[in-house]
Amino acid sequence: MPAVFKGLASQWPAVKKWDFAYLSSLVPDIEVKVVAGNREQGKTHFARSSLKAYLASLQGNELPDKDQLYLKEFDLLEAVPQLKGDLKPNELFPTKAKVAVQSWIGPAGARTGLHHDYLDNLAVEIVGKKRFYLIRPGVVERLGVVSSKYDSWATLAQSTAAELAEGDGKPGDYFFVDLEPGDVLHVPAGWWHEVTNLTPCLLFGGFYGTKTAVNSRWAWVMVRDLLHRMGWLGANNCTCHPAKRMGARSQAT
Ligand SMILES: [Zn+2]
């Protein structure tokens, strides 16, 4: 079962002192690739932004617009190593686990469509408020709405969590939880989840497992990814390459 640990990271310096104005003031002015819209259920489009300007744009709490730009799976600690001291991941992860820590940074309304990951995840909310919809493993499979869209580290669903919950007669399979700064959520591998920012948010997510589990999963992912890049798996229907647009001007790259 997923579990939420309210306030478990509330003493982290990042939770106490980070906001988007502060982060914008200290990050280097590098270019980042952001995702436009809901690529899990819609088309995959990317845009370019300056990290500094992007963070500055999250300071207000503006109403969400249609094509949310979302900085996802971003290695903030590699881009800004001086921030590492503000996090205490050793307090959370099992000592022998292999961990990959990434950040999800975006405005109110930005979302990640329904999917499940292949590794356990610990999500730590640092800034803002975020809602996780969670669905028991096997439900999307039972309803026959697993998507054929390719993603290297996840399986995607064709529908939203709300659509499934409405049409399904088993309410005990559906959950949601709101995370606030300092809250930690454990999402076990295989649990379906859809995530929406209720305010501008910064979250760290750590995929982890034993060294053996992570390495064997990694090898499997690399093989599939090679097939994908050769065009044999998920061609023009993936979350990693922009969708081809018929007759459209090239807008996002
Ligand atoms: Zn791709």
Side-chain angles (χ1 to χ4, degrees), residues 1-5 120-122 132-137 173-177 184-193:
M1 282 292 287
V4 62
F5 305 95
D120 284 0
N121 186 275
L122 269 185
F132 275 74
Y133 296 92
L134 296 149
I135 305 179
R136 222 180 267 285
D173 287 343
Y174 298 83
F175 308 84
F176 80 86
V177 61
V184 177
L185 175 68
H186 174 234
V187 182
W191 271 79
W192 293 90
H193 50 289

Side-chain angles (χ1 to χ4, degrees), residues 4 17 22 31 33 37 76 83 86 89 104 135 152 157 164 228:
V4 62
K17 71 181 189 200
Y22 170 74
E31 191 183 73
K33 186 162 98 167
L76 181 64
L83 294 175
D86 291 345
W104 279 257
I135 305 179
S152 55
L164 296 184
H228 173 56

Side-chain angles (χ1 to χ4, degrees), residues 228 238 240-241:
H228 173 56
C238 67
C240 43
H241 294 89

Side-chain angles (χ1 to χ4, degrees), residues 59-225:
Q59 286 176 66
N61 200 351
E62 295 131 38
L63 287 172
D65 64 25
K66 185 171 64 69
D67 237 12
Q68 296 292 335
L69 297 180
Y70 202 171
L71 181 55
K72 310 178 86 163
E73 293 148 25
F74 176 63
D75 196 341
L76 181 64
L77 301 180
E78 187 188 69
V80 197
Q82 72 208 79
L83 294 175
K84 277 183 191 164
D86 291 345
L87 307 177
K88 308 286 173 203
N90 296 341
E91 292 178 0
L92 296 182
F93 292 97
T95 41
K96 282 191 177 166
K98 195 162 175 175
V99 185
V101 175
Q102 301 163 314
S103 66
W104 279 257
I105 305 172
R111 60 203 289 234
T112 296
L114 188 61
H115 69 283
H116 76 73
D117 300 301
Y118 300 137
L119 292 172
D120 284 0
N121 186 275
L122 269 185
V124 186
E125 185 75 354
I126 304 290
V127 180
K129 195 169 173 183
K130 204 176 192 77
R131 176 164 296 180
F132 275 74
Y133 296 92
L134 296 149
I135 305 179
R136 222 180 267 285
V139 170
V140 173
E141 297 86 340
R142 165 169 64 78
L143 297 171
V145 287
V146 174
S147 171
S148 60
K149 189 167 190 177
Y150 173 79
D151 183 285
S152 55
W153 282 97
T155 295
L156 312 178
Q158 294 168 17
S159 311
T160 67
E163 287 163 355
L164 296 184
E166 204 180 287
D168 193 1
K170 296 192 171 177
D173 287 343
Y174 298 83
F175 308 84
F176 80 86
V177 61
D178 290 344
L179 298 190
E180 294 180 281
D183 291 348
V184 177
L185 175 68
H186 174 234
V187 182
W191 271 79
W192 293 90
H193 50 289
E194 177 181 314
V195 192
T196 301
N197 286 352
L198 302 177
T199 69
C201 279
L202 188 157
L203 170 135
F204 281 100
F207 293 104
Y208 72 99
T210 63
K211 213 171 165 187
T212 316
V214 172
N215 286 345
S216 61
R217 177 55 70 179
W218 184 84
W220 179 83
V221 163
M222 288 304 117
V223 170
R224 284 177 83 236
D225 218 49

Side-chain angles (χ1 to χ4, degrees), residues 18-30:
W18 289 11
D19 60 30
F20 292 112
Y22 170 74
L23 291 171
S24 174
S25 73
L26 61 78
V27 301
D29 198 10
I30 54 172

